[in-house]
Amino acid sequence: MTKKNFLDDYISGIFNNDNLVSMRDGRTPLVFGEYAQHGYIIISPCSSMNDADAIPHIRTMIDSIRQTKYSYMPVYARFIKDADIYHEEHVYVKAIAIFNYNHGHDWKTGCQIKRPGTAETLKNLLDFGIELAKQFHQREFLYKAPHQLLQAIDQNGNLIDKSCLEDIIDGRPLVTSYFARLYNHMLGGEPPEFTQSRNYIQFYKILSSFAGCYANPAPLGISERQCRIAHKEIFIK
């Protein structure tokens, strides 16, 4: 069913074989919400489903995040692909939530840093998302400001008209639509439009196979915990 985890995508030497944790799990939304309340973006560094291509991009994006005062949590959307009548193939689309929150390790003092962002750092986070979208050839990313609705933003910083998405996704959440559109893009599909029925049918098939979002498991020991904190990762406690 669910894959073990994707920790080795971005951290070497982690020996944690616990399974991915559903974003609906009791602990996960609490941890996500604690940091998300200050604003965040969700963006993918991947332009294909080939791990040989994706993993270097994941590490490059995380290295870029580590140079900022933001923290991140990798998130994975699972889609169920019918390989044949007797077997289901589970496909994971990879993205990164970047929080308007500075959480990490101060090597000078030896202390952990826990500092919520400000309105100014949130604006800078949006600009950072636009920069990453261009660098990693992403058509769009998600942006959430405190007390506002989640928005889809294109790589030029323009708000994508949500009404055109709602017509297509049949009232489903924008996160679901985003990951389905991302998966469609990775497969080489064009953006779904009602004027292009073939694109719409392909996209709706992908959308219907969405099976939830996941995060990596909690650290198994102190050394793994310290390593992931040093990477500025937000993880399940």
Side-chain angles (χ1 to χ4, degrees), residues 61-217:
M61 181 176 283
I62 287 177
D63 285 344
S64 296
I65 298 168
R66 293 179 65 193
Q67 302 305 311
T68 70
K69 294 183 178 180
Y70 305 117
S71 304
Y72 68 92
M73 175 188 284
V75 290
Y76 310 97
R78 181 166 65 101
F79 293 86
I80 300 175
K81 180 180 177 182
D82 295 326
D84 56 52
I85 193 170
Y86 302 107
H87 175 68
E88 289 181 343
E89 180 182 352
H90 293 246
V91 177
Y92 292 87
V93 176
K94 303 173 181 181
I96 300 174
I98 307 175
F99 301 104
N100 183 32
Y101 197 104
N102 190 3
H103 178 82
H105 187 88
D106 187 331
W107 296 104
K108 293 182 180 179
T109 64
C111 299
Q112 283 192 39
I113 301 170
K114 291 187 176 183
R115 189 175 304 124
T118 63
E120 181 180 357
T121 59
L122 180 61
K123 180 182 181 302
N124 293 339
L125 177 58
L126 177 58
D127 292 338
F128 185 47
I130 295 168
E131 177 185 324
L132 292 176
K134 291 178 179 177
Q135 180 181 351
F136 292 93
H137 308 290
Q138 296 298 304
R139 289 174 177 161
E140 63 188 271
F141 64 96
L142 298 181
Y143 168 70
K144 175 74 167 65
H147 314 299
Q148 294 185 19
L149 296 175
L150 189 65
Q151 299 176 335
I153 306 293
D154 69 20
Q155 64 173 230
N156 295 315
N158 299 316
L159 175 66
I160 297 174
D161 184 5
K162 194 175 173 185
S163 63
C164 73
L165 301 180
E166 289 174 340
D167 287 341
I168 293 173
I169 67 176
D170 207 17
R172 302 191 193 197
L174 185 56
V175 171
T176 306
S177 171
Y178 166 72
F179 277 109
R181 289 164 70 86
L182 177 58
Y183 185 20
N184 185 52
H185 174 52
M186 289 179 178
L187 294 176
E190 293 297 320
E193 302 289 350
F194 280 108
T195 55
Q196 301 171 334
S197 59
R198 184 178 63 181
N199 292 340
Y200 170 70
I201 293 170
Q202 176 183 330
F203 174 74
Y204 197 84
K205 184 176 180 181
I206 290 172
L207 184 67
S208 300
S209 70
F210 178 79
C213 289
Y214 293 80
N216 279 318

